[in-house]
PDB file of all heavy atoms in Angstrom:
ATOM      1  N   ASP A  18     -17.482 -16.543  13.046  1.00  0.00           N
ATOM      2  CA  ASP A  18     -18.777 -16.152  12.504  1.00  0.00           C
ATOM      3  C   ASP A  18     -19.172 -14.816  13.077  1.00  0.00           C
ATOM      4  O   ASP A  18     -19.468 -14.661  14.244  1.00  0.00           O
ATOM      5  CB  ASP A  18     -19.829 -17.212  12.911  1.00  0.00           C
ATOM      6  CG  ASP A  18     -21.204 -16.870  12.359  1.00  0.00           C
ATOM      7  OD1 ASP A  18     -21.370 -15.929  11.574  1.00  0.00           O
ATOM      8  OD2 ASP A  18     -22.190 -17.533  12.823  1.00  0.00           O
ATOM      9  N   LEU A  19     -19.092 -13.797  12.228  1.00  0.00           N
ATOM     10  CA  LEU A  19     -19.409 -12.462  12.650  1.00  0.00           C
ATOM     11  C   LEU A  19     -20.926 -12.184  12.563  1.00  0.00           C
ATOM     12  O   LEU A  19     -21.419 -11.042  12.945  1.00  0.00           O
ATOM     13  CB  LEU A  19     -18.664 -11.386  11.834  1.00  0.00           C
ATOM     14  CG  LEU A  19     -17.136 -11.430  12.026  1.00  0.00           C
ATOM     15  CD1 LEU A  19     -16.511 -10.414  11.046  1.00  0.00           C
ATOM     16  CD2 LEU A  19     -16.751 -11.165  13.447  1.00  0.00           C
ATOM     17  N   GLY A  20     -21.699 -13.139  12.131  1.00  0.00           N
ATOM     18  CA  GLY A  20     -23.165 -12.981  12.024  1.00  0.00           C
ATOM     19  C   GLY A  20     -23.822 -12.736  13.371  1.00  0.00           C
ATOM     20  O   GLY A  20     -24.904 -12.090  13.432  1.00  0.00           O
ATOM     21  N   GLU A  21     -23.219 -13.194  14.435  1.00  0.00           N
ATOM     22  CA  GLU A  21     -23.754 -12.994  15.761  1.00  0.00           C
ATOM     23  C   GLU A  21     -23.061 -11.819  16.508  1.00  0.00           C
ATOM     24  O   GLU A  21     -23.399 -11.587  17.633  1.00  0.00           O
ATOM     25  CB  GLU A  21     -23.582 -14.257  16.625  1.00  0.00           C
ATOM     26  CG  GLU A  21     -24.316 -15.496  16.013  1.00  0.00           C
ATOM     27  CD  GLU A  21     -25.772 -15.302  15.965  1.00  0.00           C
ATOM     28  OE1 GLU A  21     -26.367 -14.778  16.936  1.00  0.00           O
ATOM     29  OE2 GLU A  21     -26.387 -15.674  14.957  1.00  0.00           O
ATOM     30  N   ALA A  22     -22.192 -11.102  15.838  1.00  0.00           N
ATOM     31  CA  ALA A  22     -21.482 -10.023  16.500  1.00  0.00           C
ATOM     32  C   ALA A  22     -22.372  -8.804  16.741  1.00  0.00           C
ATOM     33  O   ALA A  22     -23.181  -8.427  15.840  1.00  0.00           O
ATOM     34  CB  ALA A  22     -20.277  -9.603  15.646  1.00  0.00           C
ATOM     35  N   SER A  23     -22.244  -8.230  17.881  1.00  0.00           N
ATOM     36  CA  SER A  23     -22.985  -6.995  18.187  1.00  0.00           C
ATOM     37  C   SER A  23     -22.301  -5.785  17.556  1.00  0.00           C
ATOM     38  O   SER A  23     -22.896  -4.965  16.997  1.00  0.00           O
ATOM     39  CB  SER A  23     -23.017  -6.779  19.724  1.00  0.00           C
ATOM     40  OG  SER A  23     -23.557  -7.873  20.368  1.00  0.00           O
ATOM     41  N   ASN A  24     -20.959  -5.746  17.684  1.00  0.00           N
ATOM     42  CA  ASN A  24     -20.153  -4.668  17.113  1.00  0.00           C
ATOM     43  C   ASN A  24     -18.889  -5.256  16.632  1.00  0.00           C
ATOM     44  O   ASN A  24     -18.333  -6.160  17.222  1.00  0.00           O
ATOM     45  CB  ASN A  24     -19.819  -3.617  18.170  1.00  0.00           C
ATOM     46  CG  ASN A  24     -21.039  -2.865  18.631  1.00  0.00           C
ATOM     47  OD1 ASN A  24     -21.654  -2.169  17.888  1.00  0.00           O
ATOM     48  ND2 ASN A  24     -21.403  -3.056  19.931  1.00  0.00           N
ATOM     49  N   VAL A  25     -18.351  -4.738  15.475  1.00  0.00           N
ATOM     50  CA  VAL A  25     -17.059  -5.170  14.892  1.00  0.00           C
ATOM     51  C   VAL A  25     -16.213  -3.903  14.743  1.00  0.00           C
ATOM     52  O   VAL A  25     -16.627  -2.899  14.296  1.00  0.00           O
ATOM     53  CB  VAL A  25     -17.285  -5.822  13.571  1.00  0.00           C
ATOM     54  CG1 VAL A  25     -15.945  -6.272  12.933  1.00  0.00           C
ATOM     55  CG2 VAL A  25     -18.206  -7.081  13.698  1.00  0.00           C
ATOM     56  N   TYR A  26     -14.928  -4.066  15.196  1.00  0.00           N
ATOM     57  CA  TYR A  26     -13.998  -2.929  15.062  1.00  0.00           C
ATOM     58  C   TYR A  26     -12.808  -3.411  14.330  1.00  0.00           C
ATOM     59  O   TYR A  26     -12.222  -4.495  14.629  1.00  0.00           O
ATOM     60  CB  TYR A  26     -13.592  -2.518  16.516  1.00  0.00           C
ATOM     61  CG  TYR A  26     -14.721  -2.173  17.430  1.00  0.00           C
ATOM     62  CD1 TYR A  26     -15.306  -3.155  18.174  1.00  0.00           C
ATOM     63  CD2 TYR A  26     -15.231  -0.861  17.485  1.00  0.00           C
ATOM     64  CE1 TYR A  26     -16.382  -2.891  19.022  1.00  0.00           C
ATOM     65  CE2 TYR A  26     -16.248  -0.580  18.373  1.00  0.00           C
ATOM     66  CZ  TYR A  26     -16.825  -1.588  19.110  1.00  0.00           C
ATOM     67  OH  TYR A  26     -17.883  -1.271  19.947  1.00  0.00           O
ATOM     68  N   VAL A  27     -12.275  -2.529  13.415  1.00  0.00           N
ATOM     69  CA  VAL A  27     -11.007  -2.797  12.757  1.00  0.00           C
ATOM     70  C   VAL A  27     -10.083  -1.688  13.136  1.00  0.00           C
ATOM     71  O   VAL A  27     -10.399  -0.501  12.970  1.00  0.00           O
ATOM     72  CB  VAL A  27     -11.170  -2.825  11.210  1.00  0.00           C
ATOM     73  CG1 VAL A  27      -9.804  -3.072  10.541  1.00  0.00           C
ATOM     74  CG2 VAL A  27     -12.160  -3.913  10.803  1.00  0.00           C
ATOM     75  N   SER A  28      -8.896  -2.056  13.789  1.00  0.00           N
ATOM     76  CA  SER A  28      -7.999  -1.056  14.276  1.00  0.00           C
ATOM     77  C   SER A  28      -6.662  -1.156  13.528  1.00  0.00           C
ATOM     78  O   SER A  28      -6.190  -2.208  13.201  1.00  0.00           O
ATOM     79  CB  SER A  28      -7.684  -1.272  15.741  1.00  0.00           C
ATOM     80  OG  SER A  28      -8.877  -1.098  16.502  1.00  0.00           O
TER      81      SER A  28
END
Side-chain angles (χ1 to χ4, degrees):
D18 179 11
L19 295 176
E21 299 297 318
S23 305
N24 294 295
V25 178
Y26 305 88
V27 178
S28 296

